[in-house]
Amino acid sequence: MTRVALAALMVLSSIVQPVFAQHPSRSSPEALEWLQKIAAAPRQHNYIGTFVYSSGNHIETSHIIHLVDAEGEHEKSEVLDGAPQEIVRNNDEMRCYMPESKTVLTEKRWLQKVFPALLPQPLSNLDDSYIVKLGGQERVSDHACQIVELEPRDDKRYGHKWWVDTRTGVLLKAAVMDKDRVVEQFVFTQLKIGGQIDKELLKSKYAAKAAEWRIINLVSSTMGSGKLGWQIKNPPPGFKKVIEMKRNLSGKPMPVGHIALSDGLAAVSVFIEPVSGQVSPPVEGLYRSRGAINIYSRTVADNIVTAVGEVPPVTVMQIGDSVVNHKVK
């Protein structure tokens, strides 16, 4: 599965490391202003470009076209390596075309992020969970960039280092950091910001063929808070529940429960499904996916609970271990 696909699906109580105490506890006001500029940029600027995702020995190239008009945001991103895949977005409505399996996945954007639009709008108070500060200036893909760093206030989330176009606020490069180690990175190798874009370019090249493909709507139904019958009793500081829903997942005969949490930047999804619906015996414990994504599963009340997120292992473990069943009133 590609990195983009893992990100689309998505949407741990330890001692704070001494290194965090060595830095100022307050974020730079100027750096916080840059976050607002970054969050607003995809809603204000057209762009076309090619970016590379890398993590360890894995490298993946994608092409993106992004248009803003009176009707909102329109975007098409296409993975250029490996199995072909194309995601077309109109505001919060997303369609993922997978020609090899002749499948179209339909989905709301929710917490899903596609580089360079990594920040939500409106922007929540990231200062609660991160110390935001300005770095120097560097040149990326022939654009002058301001470096913005987000240092986690605890060990429950990764740090981030962003290179931001000084003129528009569009992200040119983004690295997820585990202290000084780069966990994963996105970088534009070619980018044009501004100018007119023909809306025809945003149509899927698979649209005509896809009329005969299988269509899976990933969201079965959203639910009121607590109506799913499950809750997370002890989430890490800063992580708040965003939504509860029933989801249709490929390969699953019945919709599964889904609770999403976020600290305003990092997101964790918790999936709950009955053990009786498993084709093979469930796998429990912690295991890594690609890049910053970690996965943790355990059995609770005859259900498999799986926590998935772009967070350190300790965070998915704390969230997964905090899931409890309760009676719905």
Side-chain angles (χ1 to χ4, degrees):
M1 182 179 287
T2 68
R3 174 61 177 73
V4 173
L6 284 167
L9 182 60
M10 299 207 347
V11 174
L12 278 123
S13 63
S14 302
I15 298 173
V16 176
Q17 299 296 320
V19 65
F20 299 129
Q22 298 173 5
H23 295 277
S25 60
R26 298 189 62 182
S27 296
S28 157
E30 295 83 3
L32 293 174
E33 289 179 5
W34 273 97
L35 292 189
Q36 296 289 348
K37 192 173 183 179
I38 294 167
R43 286 88 183 170
Q44 298 174 344
H45 300 284
N46 296 344
Y47 48 83
I48 299 179
T50 301
F51 63 85
V52 174
Y53 165 80
S54 60
S55 176
N57 295 324
H58 179 78
I59 298 175
E60 186 175 286
T61 307
S62 297
H63 187 258
I64 189 167
I65 305 172
H66 182 90
L67 168 68
V68 181
D69 62 13
E71 297 175 350
E73 292 180 68
H74 313 278
E75 185 175 277
K76 183 174 77 171
S77 59
E78 181 179 7
V79 177
L80 303 180
D81 305 319
Q85 178 179 287
E86 193 177 74
I87 298 176
V88 175
R89 177 171 70 87
N90 289 291
N91 294 316
D92 288 334
E93 301 290 334
M94 301 178 67
R95 295 176 71 87
C96 178
Y97 296 85
M98 299 184 291
E100 288 194 350
S101 61
K102 295 184 178 180
T103 302
V104 180
L105 303 179
T106 65
E107 167 75 300
K108 292 282 189 180
R109 181 161 55 166
W110 303 118
L111 300 176
Q112 298 164 19
K113 301 171 292 185
V114 177
F115 178 79
L118 299 184
L119 284 178
Q121 184 80 320
L123 186 63
S124 62
N125 189 12
L126 292 181
D127 187 45
D128 290 343
S129 301
Y130 303 87
I131 300 170
V132 188
K133 55 188 179 182
L134 293 181
Q137 291 198 355
E138 293 182 4
R139 185 166 163 263
V140 177
S141 195
D142 203 28
H143 291 260
C145 291
Q146 171 66 54
I147 297 175
V148 179
E149 299 181 58
L150 290 82
E151 185 174 286
R153 293 184 180 275
D154 56 25
D155 64 347
K156 302 301 189 294
R157 62 215 88 219
Y158 289 121
H160 299 266
K161 187 173 182 180
W162 294 338
W163 288 255
V164 190
D165 180 57
T166 55
R167 183 176 61 87
T168 63
V170 174
L171 276 179
L172 271 289
K173 182 178 177 181
V176 176
M177 308 294 296
D178 184 5
K179 298 182 176 63
D180 294 330
R181 180 178 69 90
V182 176
V183 178
E184 65 179 18
Q185 182 172 271
F186 295 87
V187 59
F188 273 110
T189 56
Q190 180 276 327
L191 177 65
K192 178 186 177 184
I193 304 174
Q196 297 296 313
I197 294 177
D198 185 350
K199 207 166 182 177
E200 290 293 313
L201 295 175
L202 291 137
K203 293 182 178 180
S204 172
K205 62 186 178 184
Y206 305 112
K209 298 178 182 178
E212 300 176 359
W213 294 359
R214 179 179 56 158
I215 297 177
I216 300 175
N217 181 7
L218 292 180
V219 178
S220 173
S221 61
T222 57
M223 310 182 76
S225 182
K227 297 300 182 182
L228 196 60
W230 297 85
Q231 63 186 68
I232 299 165
K233 298 284 288 186
N234 181 36
F239 282 89
K240 297 178 174 61
K241 183 170 68 175
V242 178
I243 196 168
E244 291 183 27
M245 68 180 83
K246 285 280 190 177
R247 291 178 65 93
N248 298 311
L249 298 182
S250 181
K252 303 293 183 181
M254 298 290 290
V256 302
H258 179 199
I259 302 174
L261 301 91
S262 176
D263 68 355
L265 177 58
V268 177
S269 286
V270 177
F271 298 99
I272 304 109
E273 56 182 315
V275 173
S276 59
Q278 301 291 313
V279 176
S280 56
V283 178
E284 298 191 50
L286 176 71
Y287 51 103
R288 289 183 180 273
S289 184
R290 181 174 295 155
I293 297 176
N294 286 288
I295 304 170
Y296 174 71
S297 293
R298 60 188 280 258
T299 302
V300 183
D302 295 323
N303 284 264
I304 291 295
V305 171
T306 303
V308 183
E310 294 178 299
V311 291
V314 65
T315 307
V316 290
M317 292 177 67
Q318 179 174 337
I319 291 174
D321 286 338
S322 297
V323 178
V324 296
N325 184 241
H326 70 93
K327 291 184 178 180
V328 178
K329 295 181 180 179

